[in-house]
């Protein structure tokens, strides 16, 4: 019986202490489910990075359809001039090499048919052409090789712009919010050696 009385007195004593602490201002509040759900919704609304899982595929598709469109989709507008410069340069050299190739080829065909050409033959006093037939043949091979190389470079740069749009869309899905920080730390202990490392910190708004 005495044990029961002591237990009841101790229980009331603990309740009195807890009530006294509550009266002093140290309130014990447990957030309800609605409060937690509202906080989660506010946290989701504060997300500023791209969360669409199909964004990389869309960016790559748009860039494949029209060069630069994938960069516009990623809102990387400053990259568009570089995209067209990268694709336009091999196109320019392809047209240039193709023109030279056609000129040398036409002149070579005329030589084979027994005709003379004004561009590579000219009016020489010694009657010899300015560019020999072998020179025309070498010119045909040279400009044909670089014409094909221009095509390969253009295709490679075109594929690179598609890959860049895809990778850029992937990178934009990473959390770059200011609440996420990566900082170095140094721990010094007089009894042991110093330790170095990195700390990853995420500050919530709850």
């Amino acid at each position: 019986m005495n044990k029961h009385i002591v237990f009841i007195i101790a229980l009331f004593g603990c309740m009195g202490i807890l009530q006294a602490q509550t009266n002093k201002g140290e309130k014990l509040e447990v957030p309800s489910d609605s409060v937690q759900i509202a906080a989660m919704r506010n946290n989701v609304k504060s997300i500023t990075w791209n969360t669409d899982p199909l964004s990389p595929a869309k960016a790559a598709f748009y860039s494949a359809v029209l060069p630069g469109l994938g960069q516009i989709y990623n809102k990387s507008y400053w990259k568009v001039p570089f995209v067209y410069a990268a694709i336009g340069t091999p196109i320019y050299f392809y047209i240039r090499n193709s023109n030279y190739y056609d000129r040398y080829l036409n002149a070579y065909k005329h030589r084979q048919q027994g005709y003379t050409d004004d561009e590579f033959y000219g009016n020489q006093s010694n009657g010899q052409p300015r560019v020999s037939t072998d020179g025309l043949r070498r010119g045909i091979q040279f400009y044909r090789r670089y014409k094909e190389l221009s095509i390969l470079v253009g295709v490679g740069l075109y594929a690179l712009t598609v890959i860049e749009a895809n990778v850029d869309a992937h990178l934009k899905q990473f959390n770059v919010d200011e609440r996420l920080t990566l900082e170095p730390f140094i721990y010094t202990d007089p009894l042991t050696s110093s330790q170095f490392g990195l700390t990853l910190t995420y500050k919530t708004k709850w």
Side-chain angles (χ1 to χ4, degrees):
M1 185 66 181
N2 293 333
K3 294 181 179 180
H4 291 290
I5 295 174
V6 172
F7 175 75
I8 294 173
I9 293 174
L11 180 62
F12 278 102
C14 293
M15 293 178 63
I17 293 173
L18 181 61
Q19 182 66 29
Q21 291 179 351
T22 304
N23 293 334
K24 289 180 181 180
E26 298 180 0
K27 297 181 180 180
L28 299 176
E29 297 182 357
V30 178
S32 61
D33 294 339
S34 60
V35 174
Q36 292 180 357
I37 293 174
M40 292 175 63
R41 288 178 178 176
N42 292 333
N43 192 35
V44 171
K45 291 180 180 179
S46 63
I47 294 177
T48 57
W49 62 93
N50 189 2
T51 58
D52 185 5
L54 297 179
S55 291
K58 291 180 180 178
F61 174 76
Y62 293 150
S63 184
V65 172
L66 181 64
L69 189 59
Q71 284 71 21
I72 295 176
Y73 173 77
N74 292 334
K75 296 182 180 180
S76 300
Y77 306 107
W78 62 274
K79 296 181 180 179
V80 176
F82 294 96
V83 170
Y84 281 98
I87 297 178
T89 300
I91 292 177
Y92 165 77
F93 281 104
Y94 171 80
I95 296 174
R96 181 175 180 271
N97 292 322
S98 181
N99 290 334
Y100 276 102
Y101 171 79
D102 292 337
R103 289 163 55 187
Y104 274 78
L105 181 61
N106 292 331
Y108 180 78
K109 289 180 178 180
H110 280 82
R111 296 276 181 92
Q112 294 299 314
Q113 296 173 0
Y115 299 100
T116 59
D117 56 275
D118 296 334
E119 182 177 5
F120 298 102
Y121 201 95
N123 296 321
Q124 301 293 326
S125 59
N126 56 5
Q128 297 297 325
R130 292 190 298 108
V131 180
S132 64
T133 303
D134 290 337
L136 292 177
R137 189 182 299 110
R138 289 192 299 269
I140 292 171
Q141 296 175 353
F142 176 85
Y143 289 108
R144 179 173 58 189
R145 181 171 61 252
Y146 279 93
K147 183 175 70 172
E148 295 172 352
L149 182 61
S150 299
I151 296 176
L152 294 177
V153 172
V155 172
L157 292 175
Y158 169 78
L160 187 62
T161 59
V162 176
I163 295 173
E164 193 281 330
N166 183 273
V167 173
D168 189 29
H170 272 294
L171 293 177
K172 289 183 180 297
Q173 292 183 341
F174 284 94
N175 181 6
V176 293
D177 192 78
E178 294 180 354
R179 293 177 292 170
L180 183 65
T181 57
L182 183 65
E183 299 177 348
F185 78 92
I186 302 176
Y187 176 75
T188 303
D189 191 343
L191 300 179
T192 60
S193 60
S194 301
Q195 298 180 0
F196 304 90
L198 295 174
T199 57
L200 182 64
T201 307
Y202 182 77
K203 299 178 181 179
T204 62
K205 294 183 180 181
W206 294 16

